[in-house]
Amino acid sequence: MKNLRELILVIALLTITSLNAQQAKNVILLIGDGTGLTQLYSAYEANGRNLNIYSMPHTALSITNCSDKRVTDSGAGGTAIACGQKTYYSAIGVDKDSMPIPSMLEIFKDMGKKTGIIVSCNLNHATPASFVAHVKNRDLYEDIATFYLNGKCDIFLGGGKDNFDNRKDKRNLIKELQNKGYEIVYNEKEVLNAKTNRIAGFFAPGHLPKAKERQTIMQTCLKTTINKFKDNKEGFFIMLEGSQIDMKAHDNKFSDMIEEVNDFDECVRIALDFARKDKNTLVVVTADHETGGLTLPATGKDMDTCAWSTTGHTATPIIIYAEGAGAENFHGVMQNNEQFHYIMKAATKND
């Protein structure tokens, strides 16, 4: 009888757990471009052994290769996360045969969710482009910019102004966005004072300044976007990229890289603070690949001692961190494109 009672109790607990499993009404996806384990650990040590990302309870390893190379770029890596398929090096939102595939941002928009992109790079750079555009090569910046006109992204904030209003074809996409109802902002103060929840922000001709110089603009953009979206009945999706972690790793600039990770981690804190109060939000922190082959040699006496093995990308798997509704799906070792499917599983109603 004792074994029977234990079996009944286990079944009851499993049933309750199943019934209580929450759908993620909101999704905040934070991508640290080029961010491997050592980049994060270096920032953790530099911050007195403190990192908001490390408070997230669910983790998984992601294998980042693209369809035609062992070492991916942000185009194929971003597309795998955004669209759920591995594709060729430099592709943006297309499959191995260059056919367009929908991104989670586009799918969520069609579901009635508000959608946002926040980056510290050019808005047409590979990672943000993977969520909004469908082109054969990541270098087609002016073509990528035109996809923002389709209205799938409600708020997009970053750099790359020149690709919108200083173009070879003489089109002024900023005026076209205004005609489509977008409020245009050019700095942090204007973000704070924005009147609508349909905003296009252009903070630099190309990429934004480095973390120390741009100060709190990324955090302001995330807080503002969450506040604009939080009352939407169907929820929201936000992708924020710590774009310049990758750039400083390419340059093998250790201190600058740590500052970029810190800036990114502050955005993670804001996302987690909201999710922990909201209870219906999935937060996922991931990367498209590792950059620099960063190591911390045993001979190092302090955190200024590091070693880079390359100025390029590596095939080293990265770590995914997750918290909130549906976070339990992230565990073990997975392919980078599987993140798309777990996020969609968490945020899609099971009728």
Side-chain angles (χ1 to χ4, degrees), residues 243-311:
S243 317
Q244 297 194 35
I245 302 169
D246 172 72
M247 296 176 190
K248 304 312 176 187
H250 275 299
D251 294 337
N252 290 175
K253 292 184 176 179
F254 187 66
S255 296
D256 285 350
M257 180 275 297
I258 287 177
E259 289 177 2
E260 295 295 338
V261 175
N262 289 340
D263 185 75
F264 179 68
D265 191 56
E266 270 300 293
C267 294
V268 173
R269 179 188 61 78
I270 291 166
L272 291 175
D273 285 349
F274 173 78
R276 288 166 181 171
K277 294 174 183 175
D278 175 72
K279 307 297 185 185
N280 294 310
T281 299
L282 171 64
V283 179
V284 177
V285 177
T286 188
D288 47 0
H289 53 72
E290 193 275 345
T291 300
L294 179 62
T295 59
L296 303 175
T299 55
K301 294 182 180 180
D302 54 50
M303 283 305 300
D304 289 331
T305 305
C306 69
W308 302 91
S309 65
T310 179
T311 57

Side-chain angles (χ1 to χ4, degrees), residues 24-28 113 234-237 274 278 280-282:
K25 179 181 177 183
N26 310 310
V27 176
I28 305 175
K113 296 186 186 297
E234 300 300 328
F236 64 78
F237 167 76
F274 173 78
D278 175 72
N280 294 310
T281 299
L282 171 64

